[in-house]
Amino acid sequence: MGDHKEQQAVRVGAAVRRRRRALELTLAVVAERTGLSVPFLSQVENDKARPSRTSLEKLADALRTTAVELLAAADPAASVDVVRAEPVAEGDFDPRTRSLVRGHHQLHASEFTGDHDAGREFQHRNDELMYVADGAVEIEAEGRAYRLGRGDTLYLTGGVRHRWRATVPDTRVIVVAVAEHIEAVQDRAR
């Protein structure tokens, strides 16, 4: 068993479906434009069939994009990635940040250990969850202060201004957020 990310085929079906729906096209219209059958296109969109390079290029043309763009927007068929804990020297209390997820994904997760720059304000486009794994923090969000202890969580919707600081030594905070490149929320009127 390895810790590496398995290289597997991508599922282009969801990308094809998203693009087709964004253009408000029916399967019948795409079939007419590509010369491919409606049942085959349905199987492609449901990842029950994989289009050949030629078919993918026909689909891309019909959807006013490129095969490269469709593949870039595709979902990985399956992925497993283990991120191992970093060794920490005994008595090392320096603040640290480490990413818990590698690569370009829909979620980002980070672990913050030790104190944090309490003066730094954050405002993220998408939602995030803060979980206190150890210690305690004080979070200021939209003018209100929240004190969180071990096991507590705070959920912030996209656009909420906030800042936080550790209030006890050896605090560990896990932050999981929807990635900035994901259009997860519509812009809210402020």
Side-chain angles (χ1 to χ4, degrees):
M1 273 172 89
D3 292 343
H4 67 284
K5 193 169 197 171
E6 297 294 329
Q7 296 296 325
Q8 296 186 358
V10 294
R11 296 181 308 204
V12 73
V16 169
R17 182 183 309 109
R18 282 190 300 267
R19 181 69 183 170
R20 178 179 63 79
R21 287 181 176 168
L23 295 172
E24 299 179 352
L25 300 174
T26 64
L27 281 174
V29 169
V30 175
E32 183 179 314
R33 289 182 180 181
T34 61
L36 302 171
S37 72
V38 170
F40 175 71
L41 293 173
S42 177
Q43 288 180 334
V44 168
E45 286 193 359
N46 290 298
D47 291 312
K48 293 181 179 169
R50 288 182 55 193
S52 66
R53 181 180 177 93
T54 303
S55 294
L56 186 61
E57 288 172 359
K58 287 179 180 180
L59 270 168
D61 289 344
L63 299 173
R64 297 185 202 127
T65 188
T66 66
V68 171
E69 289 295 320
L70 285 174
L71 289 171
D75 301 324
S79 85
V80 176
D81 192 21
V82 175
V83 177
R84 298 284 181 198
E86 298 171 356
V88 178
E90 188 72 31
D92 179 8
F93 301 117
D94 290 337
R96 287 181 311 284
T97 302
R98 85 179 170 105
S99 181
L100 302 175
V101 178
R102 288 185 279 240
H104 190 70
H105 297 286
Q106 293 183 19
L107 289 178
H108 285 250
S110 298
E111 175 186 58
F112 297 89
T113 304
D115 205 0
H116 183 69
D117 179 5
R120 185 170 176 205
E121 184 177 70
F122 299 93
Q123 182 180 24
H124 302 288
R125 177 176 165 202
N126 293 321
D127 297 1
E128 72 179 76
L129 174 87
M130 297 179 76
Y131 170 74
V132 181
D134 287 309
V137 296
E138 187 172 86
I139 302 169
E140 181 186 321
E142 295 292 322
R144 284 190 63 192
Y146 301 89
R147 294 176 191 266
L148 278 68
R150 183 175 185 217
D152 291 342
T153 61
L154 180 77
Y155 188 90
L156 302 161
T157 58
V160 172
R161 295 179 184 278
H162 61 284
R163 68 181 88 230
W164 64 276
R165 68 181 184 90
T167 56
V168 299
D170 298 335
T171 294
R172 280 189 321 124
V173 176
I174 309 297
V175 177
V176 179
V178 176
E180 291 293 317
H181 71 278
I182 301 297
E183 189 68 40
V185 296
Q186 294 182 6
D187 292 332
R188 293 179 174 91
R190 292 213 139 240

